Amino acid sequence: EISEMSERSKQNVAHGLAWSYYVGYLKIVLPRVKKSMEEFSRANTNLLVSRKTWKLHILIPLSCDVYDDLEKADSNIQYVTDLTETTLARAGTKKRVYKHSLYSIRDEENQLWHCAVEYATPLQSLYAMSQDECAAFSREERLEQAKLFYRTLEEILKGSKECAGTYRLIVYEDSEEAETHFLSREMLWHLRQQQHEEFSLAEEHPPHAPSTILDSAELNLQLSVSDLPHPLRSDGF
């Protein structure tokens, strides 16, 4: 009965996507991120200055509007190079390659900040489902699914010891009317926050977040415990 209720309300879609993203990708790549960035930093000492930013920055636009080319999303974001690849045998595929791209972000003073960044790819599935008549997702339902995806992924990663300190989730609400360099501003705020944490600057007040940073209250879907998706079996499988 609970499973049918979740199916009707489509709550299990985002929940399943978040778990699949974690188990099938993040749990594999995140524990290797810092080693990869450390290797790159030794060869490029002038780029990755702040160790606090040696993480995978995961973009989560609530609109589910994902660009395949970040440079087209914002001209202040430029591809630099790829980090060291990880090659594993996965699900019958020999030598499957996992890699991350390093980007530079230009700030207001024309200074460059560097970080590994990519979109949360399951958002592409949510967007595609909202365009497919068979899935019957409205724009409002897609937004709720994106919020649930973020909250579920956040909780999963918080409980993952092997992924601790290896990622930064950047959730934001964008629109067609957003300014040209909206995305780079969002990313710069997060990079500055991390650098601020590393050097423990003696400031009376913490830096202000941009208006687009969303807190937990704004992302609260007001779902009761009984409404949340539950496993179909209780034996751990």
Side-chain angles (χ1 to χ4, degrees):
E1 184 179 349
I2 292 173
S3 178
E4 289 177 358
M5 288 170 60
S6 295
E7 185 71 32
R8 286 195 298 270
S9 62
K10 301 187 179 75
Q11 290 169 16
N12 56 342
V13 174
H15 186 262
L17 285 173
W19 270 104
S20 177
Y21 184 46
Y22 168 70
V23 175
Y25 179 65
L26 294 182
K27 192 176 181 180
I28 299 169
V29 302
L30 287 182
R32 297 171 171 82
V33 165
K34 288 199 173 183
K35 181 181 178 182
S36 179
M37 299 195 81
E38 188 173 4
E39 291 174 355
F40 180 85
S41 182
R42 282 200 295 266
N44 302 271
T45 54
N46 61 322
L47 295 184
L48 297 174
V49 179
S50 174
R51 294 182 69 91
K52 275 286 187 178
T53 63
W54 290 10
K55 303 173 182 177
L56 181 61
H57 296 75
I58 303 172
L59 302 177
I60 304 179
L62 295 180
S63 67
C64 298
D65 192 5
V66 172
Y67 285 80
D68 290 325
D69 189 344
L70 270 171
E71 295 169 327
K72 292 182 179 179
D74 189 324
S75 60
N76 278 349
I77 304 171
Q78 294 294 316
Y79 167 79
V80 177
T81 188
D82 290 330
L83 298 177
T84 307
E85 296 179 351
T86 295
T87 305
L88 300 171
R90 289 285 294 176
T93 300
K94 297 289 187 181
K95 298 181 180 179
R96 176 166 290 182
V97 175
Y98 298 88
K99 66 180 179 180
H100 309 292
S101 296
L102 189 76
Y103 286 86
S104 66
I105 298 94
R106 189 176 301 277
D107 66 16
E108 304 83 359
E109 298 177 354
N110 221 29
Q111 299 297 313
L112 296 179
W113 299 63
H114 296 85
C115 68
V117 59
E118 60 190 49
Y119 285 100
T121 51
L123 296 179
Q124 288 182 310
S125 297
L126 284 178
Y127 188 86
M129 289 176 71
S130 70
Q131 305 299 307
D132 194 308
E133 291 182 3
C134 295
F137 260 18
S138 68
R139 187 172 182 176
E140 292 73 21
E141 287 173 325
R142 185 181 70 199
L143 175 60
E144 295 305 304
Q145 289 292 315
K147 290 178 180 179
L148 181 56
F149 170 81
Y150 165 70
R151 290 176 64 84
T152 305
L153 183 62
E154 183 181 42
E155 287 302 312
I156 294 170
L157 288 171
K158 279 182 179 178
S160 174
K161 293 181 180 179
E162 58 264 62
C163 295
T166 63
Y167 65 92
R168 180 93 171 189
L169 301 182
I170 303 179
V171 58
Y172 57 93
E173 198 158 22
D174 55 341
S175 66
E176 294 180 0
E177 294 77 29
E179 63 175 275
T180 307
H181 300 302
F182 166 84
L183 183 54
S184 59
R185 281 198 308 104
E186 293 293 314
M187 294 171 62
L188 284 167
W189 185 86
H190 281 271
L191 292 173
R192 285 167 175 152
Q193 273 290 87
Q194 291 171 89
Q195 191 175 73
H196 173 82
E197 293 165 5
E198 179 176 13
F199 294 107
S200 302
L201 300 178
E203 296 180 354
E204 185 177 352
H205 303 288
H208 294 288
S211 59
T212 49
I213 294 296
L214 304 175
D215 58 27
S216 296
E218 290 176 282
L219 289 170
N220 183 8
L221 301 180
Q222 297 181 341
L223 298 173
S224 68
V225 174
S226 62
D227 287 334
L228 291 172
H230 293 268
L232 297 180
R233 295 172 59 180
S234 58
D235 55 2
F237 294 92

